[in-house]
Amino acid sequence: MTRTSNDNHTLQERPSGNWAPSVPAPDDPLKWGEPFPQAAQRTLRNTQMRRNLGHATRTIRNKRAIRVSEMPDWEQLRVAGSTIKNYAMTHLPELLEEMERNVTARGGIVHWAKDAEEARCIAYEIAASHGADEVVKVKSMVTQEIGLNEYFEKRGIRAWETDLAEMIVQLSDDMPSHIVVPAIHRNRSEVRAIFADRMENAPENLSDDPAELTAAARAHLRRKFLQAKVAISGANMMIADSGTLVVYESEGNGRMCLTLPDTLISIVGIEKIVPTYRDFEVIGQLLPRSATGERMNPYTTLWTGVTPGDGPQEFHLILLDNGRSKVLADPVGRQALHCIRCGSCMNVCPVYEHVGGHAYQSVYPGPIGAILTPQLRGAFTHHDPASTLPFASSLCNACFDACPMRINIPEVLVELRHRAIEANRGGIPTAWDIAMKAASVPMSNGRILGSAGAILPIARAAAGKGQRFVHLPWPATAWSDTRDIPAPPKQTFRSWFSEHSADSDKGGQK
């Protein structure tokens, strides 16, 4: 039995098993409606999710470290990758036109979509013109970004996710929480419960053994592959000088989608372009090692236009802007367009590891989402919840060190924070404004600041044996609700410096 929620999402009346839907598909996949601090408070209470996430990110980090250590020229490759993407973004209009010419010359059809609505409409009209009531999909972040599955469903076409993790997310009426591993917040017991409850023809007495779960998914998907007339994909890269598209994946489902159906529709963000095959070779070394800790993906599929008698006989490429041109015009923020969607920044981010992807309220979570989502949306005022995302970081710089394209995420985060503060100046002061104004009095006067330091021993005693403040009185609860505060040290720096200066003076007199 099913029901339809108020926002038109079809959900199960009551899941029967050890799982529960996390985040139903929102109307706007780039804006789920809640500021980061409020969303993070909720996800922090999900201890099972935090255990799942911690285990998964540690495993991926360790695999990646091994593979990177094998590459003596890893840093040179990072510099080369960054240079390639910088060149591509600098020459984006010319490269996109070259891509269009080469795709068209090889039998493909190119469409230009300025926003999500245009891209969805173009894709739907193509699928509907072939009488499709089902389509199979390769894992694609950009189709998540535009809400393609929900758009198709409302118009009578079911889009089946064929990537195992994406299928888990879809069956559980959930949203992805990681760019590379969308179901990273689920463990295998939850997956077994989801399959048993939601998957067509799920085997009876299904266990949580990974091999058995994979076999059940394979049998389920094989029927979809053989029936589908239309497939939908994204692309990891577009190679301009030949009109070639590239998909990296690990399960073979992408290869099935890209070769079996009669019609293939690829929806690709305009930033995914590189000039030549040599550029593809550089990024092809960086991406798999950074994403999944593999030397190369088990399946790397390249296709160029249409080949009679081999693969899809009708190929459509939809080039999507959806705010990317605005990001490109930003001298600092444009770095976000260099992203190759490897997810390595998430796997090293202490904030992401604790709060999970759903706290970011966007299909692009983690550090890269914190700089990409606000720019795509133009979200800089306090009226837009996405304006809080640049503050979802400790600025520890781990994301920059891990990024294979050397995107300076901390630099962009600081810039976007500045814009958010500037955009919100004026009007009625907030509690934060008042607190900062009050703090500016002692912080701008050395004598007052020194006097304030005299009360630190009292604060240290109040911290108790744990030497940590967990709950502070209002209005400081805004801080202590999500943070513990260590007790102040026994001695202030001013006092220490004064004593040591006196000792130095005595030593000099001797």
Side-chain angles (χ1 to χ4, degrees), residues 30-283:
L30 285 176
K31 178 186 176 185
W32 297 4
E34 209 174 16
F36 178 84
Q38 283 75 15
Q41 282 186 5
R42 186 178 61 256
T43 57
L44 280 168
R45 293 192 291 268
N46 189 339
T47 55
Q48 182 63 63
M49 178 275 294
R50 293 176 65 182
R51 282 195 294 268
N52 299 346
L53 200 63
H55 172 73
T57 52
R58 284 191 298 272
T59 299
I60 297 172
R61 281 200 303 269
N62 293 338
K63 287 179 63 180
R64 177 186 182 275
I66 293 170
R67 295 294 169 246
V68 168
S69 68
E70 298 173 346
M71 304 291 290
D73 59 344
W74 180 254
E75 288 305 316
Q76 290 92 328
L77 279 170
R78 290 180 72 208
V79 171
S82 177
T83 303
I84 289 166
K85 292 300 288 186
N86 187 60
Y87 177 89
M89 294 304 100
T90 304
H91 299 82
L92 187 58
E94 302 94 312
L95 291 173
L96 289 173
E97 290 177 357
E98 183 180 5
M99 184 75 189
E100 180 183 32
R101 287 194 302 271
N102 286 320
V103 170
T104 303
R106 289 161 175 81
I109 304 169
V110 177
H111 311 263
W112 298 78
K114 66 180 180 182
D115 55 25
E117 179 60 28
E118 276 196 4
R120 292 188 302 240
C121 185
I122 292 168
Y124 171 74
E125 288 178 355
I126 296 168
S129 69
H130 291 279
D133 57 5
E134 290 185 340
V135 297
V136 289
K137 286 184 66 202
V138 186
K139 178 182 177 298
S140 163
M141 291 303 301
V142 77
T143 60
Q144 290 276 2
E145 174 189 329
I146 66 176
L148 187 73
N149 292 7
E150 293 73 29
Y151 185 90
F152 272 29
E153 180 114 17
K154 291 177 181 178
R155 288 156 181 79
I157 299 178
R158 183 66 190 268
W160 293 102
E161 298 288 353
T162 64
D163 173 84
L164 179 57
E166 284 285 4
M167 188 182 76
I168 294 166
V169 169
Q170 184 179 44
L171 289 176
S172 59
D173 289 317
D174 213 343
M175 287 293 285
S177 60
H178 192 284
I179 285 177
V180 177
V181 197
I184 197 171
H185 56 290
R186 299 288 190 187
N187 61 30
R188 64 185 188 179
S189 295
E190 291 174 303
V191 173
R192 187 212 65 80
I194 291 166
F195 281 10
D197 196 42
R198 295 287 183 87
M199 192 167 69
E200 295 176 359
N201 304 312
E204 294 185 11
N205 302 318
L206 183 66
S207 78
D208 64 359
D209 177 67
E212 191 173 336
L213 293 171
T214 303
R218 183 182 295 117
H220 167 73
L221 290 173
R222 184 169 294 145
R223 291 186 290 272
K224 305 301 179 186
F225 290 134
L226 295 176
Q227 294 169 1
K229 298 178 180 178
V230 177
I232 295 177
S233 82
N236 293 100
M237 269 180 280
M238 300 183 291
I239 304 172
D241 70 350
S242 63
T244 299
L245 281 79
V246 184
V247 161
Y248 292 94
E249 42 111 4
S250 300
E251 300 168 14
N253 64 294
R255 181 69 56 83
M256 300 286 276
C257 290
L258 296 167
T259 56
L260 286 179
D262 297 327
T263 301
L264 173 61
I265 306 167
S266 296
I267 307 173
V268 188
I270 56 176
E271 81 280 14
K272 293 296 185 71
I273 198 129
V274 298
T276 69
Y277 265 96
R278 292 191 67 183
D279 303 320
F280 151 73
E281 184 267 339
V282 171
I283 297 175

Side-chain angles (χ1 to χ4, degrees), residues 491 493-507:
Q491 187 179 32
F493 173 77
R494 285 170 175 269
S495 173
W496 177 90
F497 187 78
S498 178
E499 290 179 8
H500 282 260
S501 295
D503 292 341
S504 297
D505 291 340
K506 290 177 182 178

